[in-house]
Amino acid sequence: MLHRFAPIFIGAAVGVLALVLALPFLSRPWPGAAETVLITLGAVAAAGLAWLAGHGLRQAGLARREAEALRRRVEDVGIFASAARHDLREPLRKIIAFGDRLTERLGPLPDDPQVARYAERMSDAAGRMRGLLDELTIWAGVNDTSTTMEPVAVREVLEPLVAGASEPLAACGGRVELGELPDIHADRRQCKILFEILLANAIQYASDGRPLVVSVAGEVAADGGVVIRFADNGIGFDDDKAERIFLPFERLHARDAYPGTGIGLATARKIAERHGGQLLARGEMGIGAVFTLILPRQKASL
């Protein structure tokens, strides 16, 4: 912002300085050579000031118009995306419903088992699309909703999430260990979404060779911020791909092996960054992964 008005400030300073230097000589009836030079410099500076002021104001006006145009474009994109998410749900529900009816009506077809396979794949694809729409709705909601800051007890948010995940945890023989967890000042709804994503991610990528253990603990940093770590002993990932997993729709594994939309972790990082925090990842293939949430002191929120 300052660079837009710098020409005005510089021109004003030069003009004022030249006029101040010229004023003592203006009282004499016949200005000499020195006085004439100073008066000329003052006049040039004043003219330059006028030009620079006009140029600066024109640039500021142009910048305001461009910012307003960009804001309108962003709003238009948001409205279109919201309408598209809403309008896609109805035909998607019909695809799923009629696909299920078709599967029930066909039943087993020994003469042509491929037909039943087609219906099954259609239903699976529709289910994935429904999941993607749900994830995109959450992603958009992080931008659309305002952030309401309030004191949040992290343990009180996590315990219901862990209880709600008892079935998938039992399926992989897993457990969640909650350590020391400092309270934070956060948006409770977004806090829940972020923790739910990290917990679901740990369960999804559990290792087949050992029971899953997810450890969640936090601490208050030396600068007054908050650090919360989600560590698991799942399949892990190559550490050089740590940033890729936060990209929307980016997947490190085949969908058939590990289903998902590829937008969950991107949403989690978006929530952290929206409130001045960071979400980092560190992994080791075959050993596990650690997701670290870092919240600043003044914005210790999600």
Side-chain angles (χ1 to χ4, degrees), residues 13 55 99 129 166 205 295:
H55 178 71
M129 187 174 181
S166 59
Y205 294 102
L295 306 175

Side-chain angles (χ1 to χ4, degrees), residues 170-192:
C172 62
R175 70 180 189 275
V176 178
E177 299 175 346
L178 300 181
E180 293 293 327
L181 292 166
D183 294 345
I184 59 177
H185 200 64
D187 183 297
R188 183 176 295 271
R189 175 180 170 275
Q190 294 184 28
C191 174
K192 178 181 177 182

Side-chain angles (χ1 to χ4, degrees), residues 4-207:
R4 298 175 184 170
F5 299 98
I8 300 176
F9 299 145
I10 295 173
V14 173
V16 170
L17 178 61
L19 291 175
V20 168
L21 292 175
L23 282 176
F25 301 97
L26 295 179
S27 59
R28 299 179 182 180
W30 300 104
E35 293 91 332
T36 303
V37 171
L38 288 176
I39 292 173
T40 303
L41 287 176
V44 172
L49 170 62
W51 182 87
L52 289 173
H55 178 71
L57 291 175
R58 286 193 298 273
Q59 290 297 107
L62 178 61
R64 284 195 299 270
R65 290 192 295 272
E66 290 177 348
E68 179 63 21
L70 179 60
R71 184 188 64 81
R72 289 197 299 267
R73 291 192 193 100
V74 171
E75 287 182 354
D76 291 344
V77 171
I79 293 171
F80 172 78
S82 178
R85 292 196 307 270
H86 178 271
D87 293 343
L88 283 172
R89 292 185 181 278
E90 179 58 27
L92 185 59
R93 281 194 293 267
K94 290 183 178 179
I95 292 174
I96 294 174
F98 284 108
D100 292 341
R101 292 182 188 179
L102 182 61
T103 301
E104 293 174 1
R105 181 69 63 87
L106 289 175
L109 297 175
D111 295 336
D112 194 357
Q114 192 66 25
V115 174
R117 177 58 178 162
Y118 290 155
E120 180 183 353
R121 294 184 64 179
M122 180 184 69
S123 297
D124 290 344
R128 288 198 306 271
M129 187 174 181
R130 180 172 58 185
L132 180 58
L133 281 176
D134 293 340
E135 294 284 353
L136 287 174
T137 299
I138 295 174
W139 168 275
V142 174
N143 277 338
D144 295 342
T145 59
S146 59
T147 301
T148 303
M149 307 302 292
E150 59 180 318
V152 175
V154 175
R155 182 176 292 273
E156 292 181 2
V157 176
L158 277 170
E159 286 178 345
L161 295 178
V162 174
S166 59
E167 186 175 337
L169 281 170
C172 62
R175 70 180 189 275
V176 178
E177 299 175 346
L178 300 181
E180 293 293 327
L181 292 166
D183 294 345
I184 59 177
H185 200 64
D187 183 297
R188 183 176 295 271
R189 175 180 170 275
Q190 294 184 28
C191 174
K192 178 181 177 182
I193 292 173
L194 191 153
F195 291 157
E196 190 172 21
I197 290 172
L198 293 181
L199 180 59
N201 184 78
I203 295 173
Q204 180 174 357
Y205 294 102
S207 174

